[in-house]
Amino acid sequence: MSTSSNTPTSLLVPHFTKPHLTAPPSTGRKEEEDDDEKVTNEFNEFLLSLPREKGWRTPYLYKFQGFWCPPKEIQAIMSFQKHFQAKDTDVVLASVPKSGTTWLKALAFAILNRNRFTDKNRHPLLSSNPHDLVPFFEYKVYANSHVPDLSGVPDPRIFAAHVPFGSLQESIKKSNCRIVYICRNPFDNFTSLWFFINNVRSRSLPPLSTEEIFNMYCNGFVGYGPFWDHMLGYWKESLERPDKVLFLKYEDMKEDVTFYIKKLAKFLGCPFSVQEERDGVVEDIAQLCSFENLKDLEVNKSGNSIIYFENKHLFRKGEVGDWMNYFSPSMVEELRNVMEEKLGGSGLEFKIFTG
């Protein structure tokens, strides 16, 4: 793969599928197994102390630090909170699930690395899923009890999280690292989640009806939810610290992607030069990261770049207003009421496409 230097791409684009553990050397396999069992038992006891509700993908969601979360993700988040140390040059991409996360990862990676990868035909995004290039803390970096050594990851390091703002590792909140948050109209967010869960929910679990899933969503019983708390946490921080948190809406970005690519680049501290704009670099990034282009790539049609999920399920339509094809009038009224009750007065509003 061509880059602007002779440095091998594998050194420029870190992969977290097999992180280096920082745990001390083991004194023996039996001791390791005993320690693992002790950790598992202690964690299971901890889970039993938490409120729980029926889950979407897993049997149960547990209320952890004020939000609902599957058990394995909780364990990874606890490790992330204990071990991660942010650097001022870090970038953290945050979102509610199914809100345009994959797209934002592609855009941020392409913007920050545009001088490293100058060959448009051999860009890493053509051969790697965005979730491999920008790993989730809870699904890759700290998943499965991994405690990776991140010291060798080149700056700027880019990570992602579905974790609410209040549960981010403290050094992220206190450092000068930048946070980019993307959210989506709750109508389209629910629709995307509904299709996604139908694809990934274990066949060993009883099926969930549309009505049941919708009621769970409106009551906040969804991974990393309630969605309104998640959105408002980042929204308020973006108002108080606009240089720290950039708040984006999926619908706005779809409407004028070149404007938001330039806005994102400026926020990340690497604005496009006049010459770059003349050369069409912004448009090239928009095309490279477009939903249609990413969905059509072979790397995004197979494999698992996020633990538990197949890549082919990460791309469906990417459309604004698709909810209108599925919502009944009563569902529209109920979700409108939830949004008015929970988001009213905050200043956070969404365009509702009704025809």
Side-chain angles (χ1 to χ4, degrees), residues 16 33 75 92 115 134 146 180 185 192 198 272 274 312:
F16 295 86
E33 292 174 352
Q75 199 163 17
V92 177
N115 294 321
V134 183
H146 288 159
V180 182
N185 181 322
S192 185
N198 282 335
F272 292 96
V274 173
K312 66 181 181 181

Side-chain angles (χ1 to χ4, degrees), residues 7 36 46 48 106 218 225 240 280 302 315 337:
T7 308
D36 287 344
F46 171 70
L48 291 174
C218 290
E240 294 176 5
S302 61
F315 301 88
N337 290 338

Side-chain angles (χ1 to χ4, degrees), residues 218 227-228 334-343:
C218 290
F227 70 83
W228 53 86
E334 183 172 353
L335 188 50
R336 274 186 185 275
N337 290 338
V338 170
M339 292 173 63
E340 289 174 5
E341 177 188 348
K342 303 298 185 180
L343 302 178

Side-chain angles (χ1 to χ4, degrees), residues 77-246:
I77 291 167
M78 292 172 71
S79 180
F80 153 64
Q81 292 174 337
K82 180 179 180 181
H83 297 288
F84 182 73
Q85 285 299 310
K87 300 168 68 174
D88 288 341
T89 53
D90 285 348
V91 174
V92 177
L93 310 180
S95 62
V96 171
K98 307 310 295 177
S99 294
T101 313
T102 308
W103 187 29
L104 179 61
K105 286 187 176 189
L107 289 171
F109 180 87
I111 290 168
L112 286 169
N113 291 284
R114 64 183 186 271
N115 294 321
R116 288 183 174 183
F117 306 108
T118 56
D119 187 341
K120 293 187 292 185
N121 297 316
R122 303 183 69 187
H123 195 281
L125 281 166
L126 300 178
S127 56
S128 298
N129 183 279
H131 296 288
D132 286 321
L133 301 175
V134 183
F136 276 113
F137 288 122
E138 63 269 34
Y139 289 109
K140 185 161 289 190
V141 183
Y142 292 98
N144 295 327
S145 302
H146 288 159
V147 182
D149 177 5
L150 302 176
S151 61
V153 180
D155 296 333
R157 306 184 304 181
I158 321 175
F159 301 101
H162 284 322
V163 178
F165 182 84
S167 291
L168 289 175
Q169 211 281 340
E170 284 301 309
S171 64
I172 294 176
K173 292 183 277 188
K174 293 179 179 179
S175 70
N176 291 322
C177 77
R178 295 176 173 93
I179 300 171
V180 182
Y181 183 78
I182 188 169
C183 63
R184 193 174 187 180
N185 181 322
F187 285 79
D188 279 326
N189 177 234
F190 170 77
T191 303
S192 185
L193 274 170
W194 177 50
F195 276 98
F196 184 69
I197 293 303
N198 282 335
N199 284 322
V200 304
R201 183 173 169 85
S202 172
R203 298 294 180 253
S204 65
L205 296 175
L208 293 172
S209 67
T210 303
E211 181 181 8
E212 189 174 12
I213 294 178
F214 184 69
N215 287 335
M216 292 164 69
Y217 185 79
C218 290
N219 284 297
F221 304 142
V222 57
Y224 306 97
F227 70 83
W228 53 86
D229 285 345
H230 200 291
M231 293 175 180
L232 288 174
Y234 286 94
W235 172 248
K236 291 174 182 176
E237 287 297 323
S238 74
L239 297 179
E240 294 176 5
R241 295 193 287 172
D243 58 332
K244 172 74 173 179
V245 180
L246 176 64

